[in-house]
Amino acid sequence: MREPKRPGKTVKMIIPCVMSLKPGKKDIIEYCTVDKRGYPVFRRVNFAGLQATVIVGHRDLDNLSFNSEDKVFICQFGPQGHLSSVGKDLEGQELTVIVHIPEEN
C-alpha cells in the first residue's frame, strides 16, 4: 500500500465507553452515503473550512450516543465544500454528518 503524500484531514475517534453527543444550537445534522473512493457524498460550499462529526449509520437527533463498536470520525470540509475521506471500506454505507457551526460571541 502506498503512503499518502500529505496527512489526511479525517481522524477516527477512539471510544472507550458509551458516549453521547449534544450538538450546538447552530450545528446541522445531515445524512449521506460513502462513494467508491471513500468520500462522503456531501458537498456544501458554505461549509468550507468547518469540521464535522461523522457517525457510520443513521442516527436521529435524540439518539446521538455511541460505543466502542461504532465508527465515528472527525472530518474537515475542504475549500470546495467536500468532506474529507472516511475510507474505501465504508463504500455504500449511510453516514450521519453533524456539521459544527461556530457560535458567535
Side-chain angles (χ1 to χ4, degrees):
M1 189 166 161
R2 178 176 66 139
E3 283 293 315
K5 293 183 181 179
R6 56 188 168 168
K9 294 181 180 172
T10 298
V11 177
K12 184 174 181 181
M13 291 179 62
I14 297 170
I15 304 165
C17 60
V18 175
M19 299 174 78
S20 291
L21 183 65
K22 183 179 177 194
K25 293 177 186 175
K26 291 188 171 189
D27 289 356
I28 299 168
I29 298 178
E30 298 271 353
Y31 304 96
C32 66
T33 57
V34 181
D35 69 12
K36 65 182 179 181
R37 297 181 310 139
Y39 288 90
V41 182
F42 184 84
R43 180 174 181 253
R44 302 286 190 279
V45 174
N46 53 330
F47 292 163
L50 296 179
Q51 284 191 332
T53 300
V54 177
I55 306 168
V56 177
H58 186 96
R59 301 293 173 97
D60 294 317
L61 180 60
D62 58 350
N63 182 24
L64 290 177
S65 61
F66 33 89
N67 60 38
S68 60
E69 302 293 315
D70 293 314
K71 292 183 181 177
V72 182
F73 303 90
I74 301 297
C75 296
Q76 184 83 31
F77 282 93
Q80 302 298 316
H82 295 281
L83 265 175
S84 54
S85 174
V86 294
K88 291 180 181 180
D89 58 322
L90 296 176
E91 178 183 353
Q93 298 262 350
E94 184 175 17
L95 303 175
T96 300
V97 179
I98 304 164
V99 182
H100 302 293
I101 308 294
E103 298 285 332
E104 295 176 14
N105 296 333

